[in-house]
Amino acid sequence: MLGYKDTVELAIQRKKVLTVKLYSYLGSERDYIDSVLDRYLEEVGLNRLMNNISYCIHEVAGNAHKANLKRLYFMLRSLDIDDTEQYRIGMRDFKREVLQHPEKYSLPHREYGYYIKFHFQIEDPFLKVVVRNNVPLTPQEEAKINDKMKIAGDATNLADVYEATEDYSEGAGLGIVMLHVILKNLGFNNKPFQIYSRGEETIAFLSLDTRNTAVLEESYAQLMMG
């Protein structure tokens, strides 16, 4: 049986899609995804941007994990996540009861089938990373993401992000805005990030043009100082 490193190498050599399926997203899973991502970035000559791209991947996957946690929490409390009033009631205690103890929900995730899937593929000249979880966006979540996408389109630095993002409830999608600003300031243009629901899944799509190999990590340092 091939080890994970052999599987990664084979996928890279054959330019096939590498799929990783997880049922939780704690420290060990994050480290595993980092190891895979680092190898892909090395292959396309962007490994010096590892910290920046890793942040983007973890932001997306963390949101997917949180969405799965939310569905599990609502289901166990017999609340309808699509009902506006029940959503408000459920979210009142969600962070305190679930997000502070995510390890308690790892086993139920597998039991109830909630997953996060990662797809890595080099398709010249792009490195593509897709993160999928098997719950669609609620109207509330979709509206919040659309609002933050608009902010992201107008922002050029972190000062713009903090000024435009005043609602810090439920995380407020600040990470997604920062993700957009980071990618923009690193030179990745033409909508390198998209997120949408399709059927019973939410799909986040990151497409990096590997012709940006001249970009240096100093770009991010300038972004943080801007």
Side-chain angles (χ1 to χ4, degrees):
M1 181 179 295
L2 291 174
Y4 91 87
K5 289 185 179 180
D6 294 327
T7 302
V8 171
E9 292 300 326
L10 193 60
I12 289 174
Q13 291 170 15
R14 296 184 178 180
K15 298 190 183 300
K16 299 293 186 181
V17 177
L18 174 73
T19 299
V20 178
K21 185 176 182 179
L22 302 173
Y23 292 95
S24 63
Y25 204 62
L26 305 178
S28 59
E29 290 88 355
R30 290 167 65 94
D31 290 344
Y32 176 76
I33 293 301
D34 268 345
S35 68
V36 175
L37 176 63
D38 188 50
R39 178 65 189 93
Y40 271 86
L41 289 174
E42 179 186 24
E43 183 67 19
V44 298
L46 294 177
N47 54 308
R48 60 188 172 281
L49 301 183
M50 174 62 189
N51 289 341
N52 307 322
I53 306 305
S54 174
Y55 167 85
C56 296
I57 299 300
H58 290 319
E59 175 62 31
V60 170
N63 286 342
H65 181 54
K66 178 182 174 183
N68 289 351
L69 280 171
K70 193 188 299 183
R71 271 60 175 190
L72 180 60
Y73 176 73
F74 272 69
M75 181 183 65
L76 295 177
R77 289 194 60 188
S78 299
L79 291 171
D80 182 359
I81 198 169
D82 294 315
D83 181 275
T84 302
E85 180 58 21
Q86 292 189 46
Y87 184 86
R88 184 190 66 79
I89 293 171
M91 291 309 300
R92 185 179 57 199
D93 300 323
F94 173 67
K95 282 187 179 180
R96 177 174 57 83
E97 294 189 19
V98 178
L99 294 185
Q100 291 180 1
H101 307 286
E103 68 281 353
K104 294 182 180 179
Y105 288 79
S106 296
L107 194 59
H109 269 229
R110 182 180 292 273
E111 179 183 347
Y112 290 103
Y114 291 111
Y115 61 73
I116 306 172
K117 282 184 180 178
F118 296 80
H119 304 292
F120 296 86
Q121 185 179 24
I122 297 172
E123 193 174 78
D124 294 334
F126 298 98
L127 168 60
K128 298 180 178 181
V129 183
V130 179
V131 180
R132 300 162 50 197
N133 61 303
N134 56 330
V135 295
L137 295 168
T138 66
Q140 296 94 330
E141 290 168 336
E142 189 168 12
K144 188 176 290 290
I145 287 175
N146 288 338
D147 287 344
K148 298 306 175 280
M149 290 288 208
K150 184 178 185 304
I151 292 173
D154 298 333
T156 59
N157 55 57
L158 294 184
D160 292 341
V161 172
Y162 287 112
E163 182 178 347
T165 308
E166 298 177 353
D167 174 19
Y168 291 94
S169 64
E170 202 182 327
L174 178 62
I176 285 182
V177 183
M178 292 179 66
L179 180 158
H180 273 275
V181 174
I182 288 171
L183 293 176
K184 184 187 300 183
N185 281 268
L186 288 175
F188 296 110
N189 300 310
N190 300 319
K191 296 184 178 180
F193 175 74
Q194 300 176 52
I195 183 169
Y196 54 90
S197 284
R198 186 174 65 189
E200 294 302 309
E201 288 190 319
T202 297
I203 301 169
F205 185 75
L206 191 68
S207 181
L208 304 179
D209 189 334
T210 62
R211 290 170 293 191
N212 286 279
T213 52
V215 178
L216 302 176
E217 285 194 0
E218 281 75 10
S219 298
Y220 185 55
Q222 291 173 3
L223 167 66
M224 295 300 290
M225 292 187 295

